[in-house]
Amino acid sequence: MLYSEKEITLDDALEHGLTEEEYQKIQEYLGRFPTVTELGIYSGMWSEHCSYKNSILLLKTLPSESPDSLAKAGEENAGALDIGEGLAVVFKIESHNHPSAIEPYQGAATGVGGIMRDIFTMGARPICSLNSLRFGPPDEKRNQYLLKRAVAGIGDYGNSLGIAVAGGELFFDPSFSRNCLVNAMTVGIVSHDGMARARADGPGNPVFYVGATTGRDGIHGASFASRDLSQESEEKRSAVQVGDPFMEKLLLEASLELIGTGAIIGIQDMGAAGLSCSTSEMSAKSETGMNIDLDRVPLREEGMNAYEIMLSESQERMLVVGKPGREHEVIEIFKKWDLHAVQIGEVNEDGMLRVHRQGKLCAEVPAESLVLGGGAPRYKREIRKPSYIDELASIPDETIPEARGESELAKAFLDLVKRPNLASKRPVYEQYDTEVGLVRVHGPGGDGGVVRIPGTDRALSVSTDCNSRFVYLNPRLGTQIAVCESARNVAVTGARPLGITNCLNFGNPYIPENYYMFSEAIGGMSDACNAFNIPVTGGNVSFYNESQDGPVLPTPTIGMVGLVPDLKQVVSPVFSGAGTLAALIGDFRPSAGGSEYQNMRTGKIQGSLPPVDLAMERSLCEALYEGAGKNLFLAARDVSLGGLAFTLFRGLYDPYKKESAGFTLNSEIRSTLGEGMRSDLFWFSETTGCALVNIEASQRDAVQNLGEKYGLPVHILGELNSEASLQLGDFQVSMADAARAFESGLVSYFEE
């Protein structure tokens, strides 16, 4: 007989974030009123965070497969693509926004821990991580606190695990003051035959709880992440998990050793919704069920009831389905690593998830009814185009106050490079390990991070990208630009783009204008991925990123992975010495709409975005890949945030050398490129579809021929000089002055 602490009412369901319609649906599945524990399980599993109920119908329109695909999007813990030689790259990005806005250190740290577990539960050893961060203006004390603590949490957790950070991005805007964004990505390597699955095949097979103990931290974290932030949320610190990276390191090694024995059928992280999620999802995938005895679950707090144990999101825990007769191997391996491994149940054949506590049956639920792709609800919400989009698009670039003459242009450039969105991120990345064991990150400071694939002479190139302002002004075009920029960022390192994962950060989906932004962003992502013929291997949707001040700038973060077939063709981000040339490859069509320069001069986000030619974007990446393979480039950089002058400076500036090379512009270039444009808009506006390459003078014709082959314009901008100055014709600045401005932008915000 089912046990419930109280009789459940509609008010209880509404308090758990369920709708009246959903409450009725639960009763239909059960044929009765739910128990307290069952209501908690449904509320967690049917939350936006677990069920994707307001996004899954649109997500299914994204291209999700390619000849390299080894796991279907959404069917495993992470995406997996073939990279040859019997190896696969496994990667995924997820958000931990709401927890980080409440308790930034643990929120960010456990975000890193959670995404790591998604990778190594597939049998892959993590080799690098990335992050994409959004905060409010750093000159405000609260934002400084959130930024510093989140960065510390990311660094401490990842460094303790010994996982190198290969790159990331950091962007500031007032919309993120009340609701910061912390997106974490991890990349791992596994052999094809070593890949594990999140399944629960075989009735009678043992179900093990492994890892750390269970406490009350993180209860209802999934539903907490599915609501707007409010003053009440500030007090919900119990919804934020507490991580232990040293325990995670033990869990990583134990899990990989266990998977390597072949003694298990399936394994899954106890992430969002904890035991509720792992038991139901693994069962539903195998069309089975589970009988679970919570009395056997290792607890670290007294008096925990079934509801709390099933919904706890305590960190560093896994659910394992073992093979019969090999139970002792599971127990012994985890005992060796000083971790719990306890059989808490078995797989059943009738598809029901049964949960017992203290001899009482507290829940009996069809596993299929709980999960995404099964009985979880699916909605398409009302769409309404925000009125501001057309209004802002009509504002011409010429309304930006002009910087005229050499002195004004030089001052504008120095002001631009020290702005937090462009300035050196050294105060951030120096808190992260970039060289661990056999893994060394190429850089940092490049557009894409390059990490050697252990045991090979090949490498992966990885990047996270999104210009939130662009998406705000035009969500479809802005998301196309995000995908294209991420592709360029791996292509300039010498890699072929393989596929993406996404982290879709938007406001409340019940507001029609917000859902329009989300819907259009999905369309833009699909457009771009189809153009590049690359899949979306999975990812994360994070709705409700808003407060009483309104939604954050929409941010569909793109995590891109590319393959470098030979380490010898890795292209540096740092330009070489005097006498070499800088060439611009691609269709240079700058626009100030949504640019950092426009925001600096007006304090606003407005105007039209730079145009996008998806076919040309793909041709550019193919040309960069071929050029790298032929060793035509000494260095290369994507031209995007900050504009052409900033990209030139970044290519010339080496933070690890006392002196940098300078640059002298070809005197004829301004009459052939950007003719008639205001000087400030030419140098500081932002463009798509371009890369800046550094070449030997002897390779000039070869690069021109490469451009002709792919239908790409090639312009020789000028020559590197030994005078350590940026001589751009319209203005000039010393590299020393530019470097001081660049390095000073963020430093003060990280000082105690």
Side-chain angles (χ1 to χ4, degrees):
M1 181 177 177
L2 278 162
Y3 167 78
S4 184
E5 291 91 337
K6 61 171 285 189
E7 186 176 326
I8 297 300
T9 67
L10 174 60
D11 287 343
D12 294 317
L14 296 176
E15 175 62 26
H16 278 70
L18 296 163
T19 66
E20 183 174 357
E21 176 189 353
E22 290 166 353
Y23 181 53
Q24 293 298 325
K25 195 69 175 176
I26 291 169
Q27 293 177 60
E28 291 177 19
Y29 280 130
L30 299 177
R32 54 177 169 77
F33 292 110
T35 67
V36 169
T37 302
E38 289 169 340
L39 183 68
I41 292 172
Y42 273 106
S43 72
M45 292 303 297
W46 284 12
S47 69
E48 186 67 45
H49 195 63
C50 291
S51 74
Y52 291 81
K53 59 188 176 185
N54 289 308
S55 59
I56 186 60
L57 292 175
L58 288 174
L59 294 176
K60 285 185 174 295
T61 66
L62 291 168
S64 58
E65 294 188 36
S66 78
D68 300 319
S69 298
L70 296 174
K72 290 186 178 180
E75 288 196 358
E76 298 297 340
N77 290 309
L81 296 174
D82 180 24
I83 54 173
E85 298 183 15
L87 297 177
V89 57
V90 176
F91 61 105
K92 189 179 181 184
I93 188 170
E94 282 198 345
S95 66
H96 232 220
N97 302 335
H98 283 46
S100 300
I102 302 301
E103 211 305 294
Y105 183 89
Q106 289 295 348
T110 52
V112 173
I115 197 66
M116 291 284 181
R117 291 193 295 279
D118 281 340
I119 301 306
F120 67 74
T121 52
M122 290 191 65
R125 179 169 292 278
I127 62 169
C128 69
S129 67
L130 302 91
N131 51 74
S132 175
L133 310 176
R134 301 286 189 282
F135 293 91
D139 55 354
E140 297 177 16
K141 291 296 183 183
R142 172 66 178 169
N143 294 332
Q144 277 186 44
Y145 165 76
L146 293 172
L147 169 63
K148 290 196 292 186
R149 294 299 293 159
V151 168
I154 292 167
D156 289 351
Y157 204 102
N159 295 351
S160 298
L161 278 178
I163 308 298
V165 174
E169 55 176 351
L170 173 61
F171 192 88
F172 300 94
D173 182 85
S175 73
F176 302 113
S177 289
R178 294 295 300 271
N179 201 137
C180 60
L181 303 183
V182 174
N183 297 174
M185 177 175 171
T186 296
V187 180
I189 299 293
V190 63
S191 64
H192 291 188
D193 57 6
M195 196 178 300
R197 305 289 182 178
R199 300 186 62 84
D201 298 338
N205 285 340
V207 176
F208 286 90
Y209 171 115
V210 302
T213 55
T214 293
R216 290 187 171 93
D217 51 318
I219 292 175
H220 268 305
S223 55
F224 170 61
S226 303
R227 298 180 183 178
D228 298 345
L229 282 181
S230 64
Q231 185 59 42
E232 180 185 0
S233 303
E234 296 279 353
E235 300 168 2
K236 286 194 173 182
R237 292 181 183 270
S238 63
V240 180
Q241 308 97 319
V242 177
D244 181 346
F246 301 104
M247 182 75 73
E248 177 108 342
K249 174 63 174 174
L250 298 176
L251 184 61
L252 184 159
E253 298 299 341
S255 298
L256 292 181
E257 182 177 342
L258 177 64
I259 292 168
T261 66
I264 66 170
I265 288 167
I267 181 171
Q268 182 166 323
D269 172 39
M270 292 184 207
L275 260 172
S276 298
C277 185
S278 52
T279 52
S280 60
E281 288 187 348
M282 293 178 75
S283 297
K285 285 175 186 174
S286 298
E287 298 182 353
T288 58
M290 287 187 188
N291 301 323
I292 300 297
D293 184 355
L294 298 183
D295 292 349
R296 302 179 186 177
V297 172
L299 304 177
R300 64 170 174 265
E301 297 185 47
E302 295 182 359
M304 292 185 70
N305 58 31
Y307 178 104
E308 293 172 316
I309 299 171
M310 288 300 291
L311 272 296
S312 169
E313 294 182 12
S314 293
Q315 297 288 286
E316 295 92 35
R317 305 175 304 155
M318 301 283 192
L319 194 70
V320 171
V321 174
K323 291 181 177 178
R326 303 187 68 175
E327 293 88 347
H328 66 285
E329 294 181 59
V330 178
I331 294 170
E332 287 303 314
I333 287 172
F334 279 84
K335 181 180 179 181
K336 182 182 79 171
W337 290 100
D338 200 23
L339 294 169
H340 295 281
V342 181
Q343 184 177 344
I344 63 169
E346 63 281 325
V347 177
N348 67 46
E349 62 183 356
D350 64 8
M352 301 297 290
L353 174 60
R354 295 185 181 87
V355 178
H356 292 82
R357 175 67 167 151
Q358 296 175 342
K360 300 172 183 176
L361 180 61
C362 299
E364 188 174 31
V365 179
E368 180 74 9
S369 73
L370 294 168
V371 302
L372 166 70
R378 297 184 291 179
Y379 306 113
K380 263 193 177 181
R381 296 298 173 191
E382 181 184 354
I383 288 174
R384 186 185 305 127
K385 184 178 182 179
S387 59
Y388 75 80
I389 289 181
D390 291 335
E391 295 172 7
L392 295 182
S394 67
I395 300 173
D397 291 351
E398 286 68 29
T399 60
I400 299 171
E402 183 176 1
R404 296 175 175 161
E406 288 193 30
S407 61
E408 282 191 28
L409 286 166
K411 182 180 184 305
F413 175 75
L414 294 175
D415 288 342
L416 190 65
V417 300
K418 69 181 178 184
R419 283 174 65 81
N421 284 336
L422 297 184
S424 171
K425 305 305 185 292
R426 190 200 297 258
V428 175
Y429 67 67
E430 285 195 342
Q431 297 186 51
Y432 306 150
D433 284 340
T434 55
E435 187 169 358
V436 182
L438 297 176
V439 176
R440 183 182 185 280
V441 175
H442 181 72
D447 295 316
V450 180
V451 183
R452 180 174 183 168
I453 301 170
T456 76
D457 59 359
R458 301 180 300 147
L460 294 174
S461 180
V462 291
S463 180
T464 56
D465 295 284
C466 181
N467 188 320
S468 304
R469 291 180 185 143
F470 283 1
V471 183
Y472 170 77
L473 289 173
N474 186 324
R476 193 179 196 102
L477 191 59
T479 307
Q480 289 179 9
I481 291 172
V483 175
C484 292
E485 183 181 353
S486 66
R488 292 195 305 271
N489 279 341
V490 301
V492 294
T493 69
R496 173 176 67 89
L498 290 179
I500 71 167
T501 177
N502 59 46
C503 196
L504 308 176
N505 307 274
F506 289 83
N508 187 331
Y510 292 83
I511 297 174
E513 288 80 2
N514 289 346
Y515 206 70
Y516 171 87
M517 304 299 281
F518 176 74
S519 176
E520 285 292 289
I522 294 294
M525 190 179 306
S526 185
D527 294 340
C529 288
N530 282 326
F532 280 96
N533 195 28
I534 57 175
V536 180
T537 64
N540 173 236
V541 176
S542 177
F543 282 138
Y544 303 96
N545 290 291
E546 58 184 279
S547 65
Q548 54 265 50
D549 297 331
V552 300
L553 294 183
T555 307
T557 304
I558 304 299
M560 177 71 75
V561 172
L563 179 65
V564 183
D566 190 331
L567 284 167
K568 294 177 182 177
Q569 76 175 54
V570 171
V571 181
S572 170
V574 181
F575 287 18
S576 296
T580 62
L581 305 178
L584 186 68
I585 302 180
D587 192 9
F588 183 67
R589 293 185 287 173
S591 172
S595 68
E596 189 69 23
Y597 181 66
Q598 178 201 68
N599 192 254
M600 180 179 79
R601 300 291 283 183
T602 68
K604 299 175 182 178
I605 304 173
Q606 60 190 29
S608 296
L609 303 187
V612 177
D613 182 330
L614 293 175
M616 186 168 284
E617 289 276 6
R618 177 172 178 172
S619 293
L620 174 62
C621 289
E622 290 173 349
L624 291 168
Y625 181 70
E626 181 176 326
K630 293 179 176 179
N631 294 312
L632 296 183
F633 311 135
L634 299 170
R637 279 192 172 269
D638 162 51
V639 183
S640 53
L641 189 67
L644 182 56
F646 179 70
T647 306
L648 271 167
F649 162 72
R650 291 292 288 116
L652 295 167
Y653 176 58
D654 186 345
Y656 299 101
K657 288 184 178 179
K658 290 184 178 180
E659 292 186 2
S660 298
F663 174 79
T664 304
L665 184 75
N666 178 350
S667 60
E668 301 174 358
I669 202 67
R670 286 290 278 116
S671 62
T672 58
L673 190 63
E675 183 180 7
M677 281 190 72
R678 280 172 30 181
S679 294
D680 59 341
L681 297 182
F682 175 83
W683 288 112
F684 309 142
S685 292
E686 294 169 7
T687 187
T688 58
C690 286
L692 194 64
V693 296
N694 179 215
I695 63 174
E696 296 282 6
S698 60
Q699 298 286 13
R700 182 172 183 155
D701 289 344
V703 173
Q704 291 282 5
N705 292 337
L706 181 69
E708 289 179 11
K709 176 181 177 180
Y710 287 96
L712 300 168
V714 175
H715 298 279
I716 305 299
L717 296 185
E719 183 176 308
L720 273 65
N721 64 47
S722 58
E723 300 174 26
S725 65
L726 201 56
Q727 300 171 18
L728 302 180
D730 296 315
F731 70 98
Q732 69 177 46
V733 294
S734 76
M735 287 296 295
D737 288 344
R740 276 191 292 271
F742 179 67
E743 293 291 350
S744 69
L746 279 180
V747 170
S748 63
Y749 303 124
F750 282 85
E751 295 172 347
E752 294 297 335

Coordinates of all heavy atoms in Angstrom, one line a residue, residues 45-64 72-75 281 371-381 502 504 509 515 518-519 522 536 538-543:
M45 N 11.1 16.3 -12.3 CA 11.2 15.7 -13.7 C 10.5 16.5 -14.7 O 10.9 16.5 -15.9 CB 10.8 14.2 -13.7 CG 11.7 13.3 -12.9 SD 13.4 13.4 -13.4 CE 13.3 12.8 -15.1
W46 N 9.4 17.2 -14.3 CA 8.6 17.9 -15.3 C 9.0 19.4 -15.2 O 8.3 20.2 -15.9 CB 7.1 17.8 -15.0 CG 6.6 16.4 -15.6 CD1 7.3 15.4 -16.0 CD2 5.2 16.1 -15.7 NE1 6.5 14.3 -16.4 CE2 5.2 14.7 -16.2 CE3 4.0 16.7 -15.4 CZ2 4.0 14.1 -16.5 CZ3 2.8 16.0 -15.7 CH2 2.8 14.7 -16.2
S47 N 10.0 19.8 -14.5 CA 10.4 21.1 -14.5 C 11.1 21.4 -15.8 O 11.5 20.5 -16.5 CB 11.5 21.4 -13.4 OG 12.7 20.7 -13.6
E48 N 11.2 22.7 -16.2 CA 11.8 23.0 -17.4 C 13.2 22.5 -17.5 O 13.7 22.0 -18.6 CB 11.9 24.6 -17.6 CG 12.4 25.0 -18.9 CD 11.4 24.7 -20.1 OE1 10.2 24.9 -19.9 OE2 11.9 24.2 -21.1
H49 N 13.9 22.5 -16.4 CA 15.3 22.1 -16.4 C 15.5 20.6 -16.8 O 16.5 20.3 -17.4 CB 15.9 22.3 -15.0 CG 17.4 22.3 -14.9 ND1 18.2 23.2 -15.5 CD2 18.2 21.5 -14.2 CE1 19.5 23.0 -15.3 NE2 19.5 21.9 -14.5
C50 N 14.6 19.8 -16.4 CA 14.7 18.4 -16.8 C 13.9 17.9 -18.0 O 14.3 17.1 -18.8 CB 14.3 17.5 -15.6 SG 15.4 17.6 -14.2
S51 N 12.7 18.5 -18.2 CA 11.8 18.0 -19.2 C 11.9 18.8 -20.5 O 11.5 18.3 -21.6 CB 10.4 18.1 -18.8 OG 9.9 19.5 -18.8
Y52 N 12.5 20.0 -20.5 CA 12.6 20.8 -21.7 C 11.2 21.0 -22.3 O 11.1 21.1 -23.5 CB 13.6 20.2 -22.7 CG 15.0 20.3 -22.3 CD1 15.5 19.3 -21.4 CD2 15.9 21.3 -22.8 CE1 16.8 19.4 -21.0 CE2 17.2 21.3 -22.3 CZ 17.7 20.4 -21.5 OH 19.0 20.4 -21.1
K53 N 10.2 21.1 -21.5 CA 8.8 21.1 -22.0 C 8.5 22.2 -22.9 O 7.6 22.1 -23.7 CB 7.8 21.0 -20.8 CG 7.9 22.1 -19.8 CD 7.0 21.8 -18.6 CE 7.1 22.9 -17.5 NZ 6.3 22.5 -16.3
N54 N 9.1 23.4 -22.7 CA 8.8 24.5 -23.5 C 9.8 24.7 -24.7 O 9.7 25.7 -25.4 CB 8.8 25.8 -22.7 CG 7.6 25.9 -21.8 OD1 6.5 25.7 -22.2 ND2 7.8 26.1 -20.5
S55 N 10.7 23.8 -24.8 CA 11.8 23.9 -25.8 C 12.0 22.7 -26.7 O 12.4 22.8 -27.8 CB 13.1 24.3 -25.2 OG 13.5 23.3 -24.3
I56 N 11.6 21.5 -26.3 CA 11.9 20.3 -27.0 C 11.4 20.2 -28.4 O 12.1 19.8 -29.3 CB 11.5 19.0 -26.2 CG1 12.0 17.8 -26.8 CG2 10.0 19.0 -26.0 CD1 13.6 17.7 -26.9
L57 N 10.2 20.8 -28.6 CA 9.6 20.7 -30.0 C 10.4 21.5 -31.0 O 10.6 21.2 -32.1 CB 8.2 21.2 -29.9 CG 7.2 20.2 -29.2 CD1 5.8 20.9 -29.1 CD2 7.1 18.9 -29.9
L58 N 11.0 22.7 -30.5 CA 11.8 23.5 -31.3 C 13.2 22.9 -31.5 O 13.8 22.9 -32.5 CB 11.9 24.9 -30.8 CG 10.7 25.8 -31.0 CD1 10.8 27.1 -30.3 CD2 10.4 26.0 -32.4
L59 N 13.7 22.3 -30.4 CA 15.1 21.7 -30.4 C 15.2 20.6 -31.4 O 16.2 20.3 -32.0 CB 15.5 21.2 -29.0 CG 15.7 22.3 -27.9 CD1 15.9 21.6 -26.6 CD2 16.8 23.2 -28.3
K60 N 14.0 19.9 -31.6 CA 14.0 18.7 -32.5 C 14.1 19.2 -34.0 O 14.3 18.3 -34.8 CB 12.8 17.9 -32.3 CG 12.9 17.0 -31.0 CD 11.7 16.1 -30.9 CE 11.8 15.2 -29.7 NZ 12.9 14.2 -29.9
T61 N 14.0 20.5 -34.2 CA 14.2 20.9 -35.6 C 15.7 21.2 -35.9 O 16.0 21.4 -37.1 CB 13.4 22.2 -35.8 OG1 14.0 23.3 -35.0 CG2 12.0 22.1 -35.5
L62 N 16.6 21.1 -35.0 CA 18.0 21.3 -35.2 C 18.6 20.1 -35.9 O 18.3 19.0 -35.6 CB 18.7 21.6 -33.9 CG 18.4 22.9 -33.2 CD1 19.0 23.0 -31.8 CD2 18.9 24.1 -34.0
P63 N 19.6 20.3 -36.8 CA 20.3 19.2 -37.3 C 21.1 18.5 -36.2 O 21.9 19.2 -35.6 CB 21.2 19.8 -38.4 CG 21.4 21.2 -38.0 CD 20.1 21.6 -37.3
S64 N 20.9 17.2 -36.0 CA 21.5 16.5 -34.9 C 22.4 15.4 -35.3 O 23.0 14.7 -34.4 CB 20.4 16.0 -33.9 OG 19.6 15.2 -34.6
K72 N 23.1 9.9 -30.5 CA 22.0 10.8 -30.9 C 21.9 11.9 -29.8 O 22.0 11.6 -28.6 CB 20.7 10.1 -31.1 CG 20.7 9.2 -32.4 CD 19.4 8.6 -32.6 CE 19.4 7.7 -33.9 NZ 18.0 7.1 -34.1
A73 N 21.6 13.1 -30.3 CA 21.5 14.2 -29.4 C 20.4 13.9 -28.4 O 19.2 13.5 -28.7 CB 21.1 15.5 -30.2
G74 N 20.7 14.1 -27.1 CA 19.7 13.9 -26.0 C 19.6 12.5 -25.5 O 18.9 12.3 -24.5
E75 N 20.1 11.5 -26.2 CA 19.9 10.2 -25.8 C 21.0 9.7 -24.8 O 20.8 8.7 -24.1 CB 19.9 9.2 -27.0 CG 18.7 9.4 -27.9 CD 18.5 8.2 -28.8 OE1 19.4 7.3 -28.9 OE2 17.5 8.2 -29.6
E281 N 15.2 8.0 -16.0 CA 15.7 8.1 -17.3 C 16.4 6.8 -17.8 O 16.2 6.4 -18.9 CB 16.7 9.3 -17.4 CG 16.0 10.7 -17.4 CD 16.9 11.8 -17.6 OE1 18.2 11.6 -17.6 OE2 16.4 12.9 -17.8
V371 N 9.7 11.2 -18.1 CA 10.9 11.7 -18.8 C 10.6 12.4 -20.1 O 9.6 12.3 -20.8 CB 11.8 10.5 -19.1 CG1 12.2 9.7 -17.9 CG2 11.2 9.5 -20.1
L372 N 11.6 13.2 -20.5 CA 11.7 13.9 -21.8 C 11.6 12.8 -22.9 O 12.3 11.8 -22.9 CB 13.0 14.6 -21.9 CG 13.5 15.1 -23.3 CD1 12.6 16.3 -23.7 CD2 14.9 15.6 -23.2
G373 N 10.7 13.1 -23.9 CA 10.5 12.1 -24.9 C 9.5 11.0 -24.6 O 9.1 10.2 -25.4
G374 N 9.1 11.0 -23.3 CA 8.0 10.1 -22.8 C 6.8 10.8 -22.5 O 6.2 11.5 -23.3
G375 N 6.4 10.7 -21.2 CA 5.2 11.4 -20.7 C 5.3 12.8 -20.3 O 4.3 13.5 -20.0
A376 N 6.5 13.3 -20.2 CA 6.7 14.7 -19.8 C 6.0 15.6 -20.8 O 6.0 15.4 -22.0 CB 8.2 15.1 -19.7
P377 N 5.4 16.7 -20.3 CA 4.7 17.6 -21.2 C 5.5 18.3 -22.2 O 6.7 18.5 -22.0 CB 4.0 18.6 -20.3 CG 4.8 18.6 -19.0 CD 5.4 17.2 -18.9
R378 N 5.0 18.7 -23.4 CA 5.7 19.4 -24.4 C 4.8 20.5 -24.9 O 3.6 20.3 -25.3 CB 6.1 18.5 -25.6 CG 7.0 17.4 -25.1 CD 7.4 16.5 -26.3 NE 6.3 15.7 -26.9 CZ 6.4 14.9 -27.9 NH1 7.6 14.8 -28.5 NH2 5.4 14.2 -28.3
Y379 N 5.3 21.7 -25.0 CA 4.5 22.9 -25.3 C 5.3 23.7 -26.4 O 6.5 23.8 -26.4 CB 4.3 23.8 -24.1 CG 3.6 23.1 -22.9 CD1 4.4 23.0 -21.8 CD2 2.4 22.6 -23.0 CE1 3.8 22.4 -20.6 CE2 1.8 22.0 -21.9 CZ 2.5 21.9 -20.7 OH 1.9 21.3 -19.6
K380 N 4.5 24.4 -27.2 CA 5.0 25.6 -28.0 C 4.2 26.8 -27.5 O 3.0 26.8 -27.5 CB 4.7 25.4 -29.5 CG 5.9 24.8 -30.2 CD 5.7 24.9 -31.7 CE 6.9 24.4 -32.5 NZ 6.8 24.6 -33.9
R381 N 5.0 27.8 -27.0 CA 4.3 28.9 -26.5 C 4.0 30.0 -27.5 O 4.5 30.0 -28.6 CB 5.3 29.5 -25.4 CG 5.5 28.6 -24.2 CD 4.2 28.3 -23.5 NE 4.3 27.3 -22.4 CZ 3.3 26.7 -21.8 NH1 2.0 27.0 -22.2 NH2 3.5 25.8 -20.9
N502 N 25.2 23.4 -27.4 CA 24.7 24.8 -27.2 C 24.2 24.9 -25.7 O 23.8 24.0 -25.1 CB 23.6 25.2 -28.2 CG 22.4 24.2 -28.1 OD1 21.9 23.9 -27.1 ND2 21.9 23.8 -29.3
L504 N 21.4 27.5 -24.2 CA 20.5 28.5 -24.6 C 19.9 29.3 -23.4 O 19.0 28.8 -22.7 CB 19.4 27.9 -25.4 CG 19.9 26.9 -26.6 CD1 18.8 26.2 -27.2 CD2 20.7 27.7 -27.6
P509 N 9.8 31.8 -20.8 CA 9.2 31.4 -22.1 C 7.7 31.7 -22.2 O 7.1 31.6 -23.3 CB 9.5 29.9 -22.1 CG 9.5 29.5 -20.7 CD 10.1 30.6 -20.0
Y515 N 9.8 34.2 -26.1 CA 9.7 33.0 -26.8 C 10.0 33.2 -28.3 O 10.5 32.3 -29.0 CB 8.3 32.3 -26.7 CG 8.4 30.8 -26.9 CD1 9.0 30.0 -26.0 CD2 7.8 30.2 -28.0 CE1 9.1 28.6 -26.2 CE2 7.9 28.8 -28.2 CZ 8.5 28.0 -27.3 OH 8.6 26.7 -27.5
F518 N 13.7 33.1 -28.6 CA 14.2 31.7 -28.5 C 13.9 31.0 -29.8 O 14.8 30.4 -30.4 CB 13.5 31.0 -27.3 CG 13.9 29.5 -27.2 CD1 15.1 29.2 -26.8 CD2 13.0 28.6 -27.6 CE1 15.4 27.8 -26.7 CE2 13.3 27.2 -27.5 CZ 14.5 26.9 -27.1
S519 N 12.7 31.1 -30.3 CA 12.4 30.5 -31.6 C 13.2 30.9 -32.7 O 13.7 30.1 -33.5 CB 10.9 30.7 -31.9 OG 10.5 30.2 -33.1
I522 N 16.8 29.5 -32.5 CA 16.8 28.1 -32.9 C 16.9 28.0 -34.5 O 17.7 27.3 -35.1 CB 15.6 27.3 -32.4 CG1 15.7 27.2 -30.9 CG2 15.6 25.9 -33.1 CD1 16.9 26.4 -30.4
V536 N 24.3 19.6 -34.2 CA 24.2 20.0 -32.8 C 24.1 18.7 -32.0 O 23.1 18.0 -32.1 CB 22.9 20.9 -32.5 CG1 22.8 21.3 -31.1 CG2 22.9 22.1 -33.4
G538 N 23.9 18.2 -28.7 CA 23.2 18.3 -27.5 C 23.5 19.6 -26.8 O 24.0 20.5 -27.4
G539 N 23.1 19.7 -25.6 CA 23.3 21.0 -24.9 C 22.3 21.2 -23.7 O 21.9 20.2 -23.0
N540 N 21.9 22.4 -23.6 CA 21.2 22.8 -22.4 C 20.3 24.0 -22.7 O 20.7 24.9 -23.4 CB 22.1 23.1 -21.3 CG 21.5 23.6 -20.0 OD1 21.9 24.7 -19.6 ND2 20.5 23.0 -19.4
V541 N 19.1 24.0 -22.2 CA 18.2 25.2 -22.3 C 18.1 25.8 -20.9 O 17.8 25.0 -19.9 CB 16.8 24.9 -22.8 CG1 15.9 26.1 -22.8 CG2 17.0 24.4 -24.3
S542 N 18.3 27.1 -20.7 CA 18.2 27.7 -19.4 C 17.2 28.9 -19.7 O 17.6 30.0 -20.1 CB 19.5 28.2 -18.9 OG 19.4 29.0 -17.7
F543 N 15.9 28.7 -19.3 CA 14.9 29.7 -19.3 C 14.9 30.5 -18.0 O 15.7 30.1 -17.1 CB 13.6 29.2 -19.6 CG 13.3 28.8 -21.1 CD1 12.6 27.7 -21.4 CD2 13.7 29.7 -22.1 CE1 12.4 27.3 -22.7 CE2 13.4 29.4 -23.4 CZ 12.8 28.2 -23.7

